Amino acid sequence: MTTNTQPAPLTRRNFLKLGLGALSSLAVLEMGAASLFFMQPRRLEGEFGGVVNAGLVESFPVGSVTEFPDGRFYLVRAADGFLALSNRCTHLGCAVHWQANNQHFFCPCHASSFDQQGDVQNPPAPRALDTFPIEISDGQVFVNTLRAEKRDRYTPEQVTQA
Ligand code: FES
């Protein structure tokens, strides 16, 4: 009895099957890589989703409210420190606008308003504006917009001391 150790010749059909399998595997790998890329949280320096360097502490007078549109927040300088308030209304998420003449944040969608600390003055907004963590380093104010902090109302501990 003799055994044939020669591999079977590659037929056209087998060649096409191999090629199709390789292309399918490549497509699955590409889709997986693309999905992972899009699922990554945004971490953009200086923009919403990253850490924003707002500037020097002394460039914000006490009582000032400064808008950072790219960061989607307002920086409020209180007597003892800073608050970074999200510009998203806590009702349905419309952008609120600071109205200096009325000294409040106003939501144009359903007329909610918030005071300078972000507390609700006028519903339907159910709670105070969210805040973003602040770090003061080398005399500069850094706002981390990666993680908004929900709160029911303003309390003095929320202020980052300057
Ligand atoms: S979204 Fe602001 S009041 Fe409705």
Side-chain angles (χ1 to χ4, degrees):
M1 183 171 173
T2 61
T3 56
N4 187 2
T5 56
Q6 294 273 332
L10 185 61
T11 64
R12 183 171 173 216
R13 175 175 297 212
N14 287 341
F15 176 76
L16 290 174
K17 277 185 186 173
L18 278 173
L20 198 58
L23 285 175
S24 298
S25 299
L26 188 62
V28 168
L29 280 174
E30 282 183 20
M31 285 184 350
S35 299
L36 284 175
F37 176 78
F38 284 108
M39 289 185 331
Q40 294 287 324
R42 291 181 60 197
R43 290 194 172 92
L44 302 173
E45 288 298 317
E47 289 184 25
F48 180 74
V51 175
V52 176
N53 181 350
L56 291 168
V57 168
E58 58 263 25
S59 58
F60 302 99
V62 171
S64 65
V65 176
T66 308
E67 183 177 16
F68 287 82
D70 290 344
R72 301 186 197 170
F73 68 89
Y74 286 89
L75 189 65
V76 176
R77 175 79 192 261
D80 50 351
F82 288 92
L83 272 175
L85 302 177
S86 168
N87 72 357
R88 296 294 150 185
C89 179
T90 54
H91 180 221
L92 294 176
C94 291
V96 299
H97 305 285
W98 174 246
Q99 295 183 331
N101 54 336
N102 295 321
Q103 290 291 294
H104 71 196
F105 296 95
F106 181 74
C107 179
C109 291
H110 309 99
S112 283
S113 63
F114 306 83
D115 67 16
Q116 195 165 349
Q117 286 76 36
D119 268 338
V120 176
Q121 285 181 323
N122 188 46
R127 57 183 178 75
L129 295 172
D130 294 344
T131 59
F132 292 114
I134 294 174
E135 188 179 323
I136 295 178
S137 175
D138 294 330
Q140 305 205 58
V141 184
F142 295 91
V143 178
N144 184 346
T145 63
L146 191 58
R147 179 175 48 93
E149 296 176 340
K150 294 182 179 1
R151 59 192 182 141
D152 289 330
R153 71 183 75 79
Y154 166 77
T155 58
E157 310 84 62
Q158 295 162 358
V159 171
T160 299
Q161 305 292 320

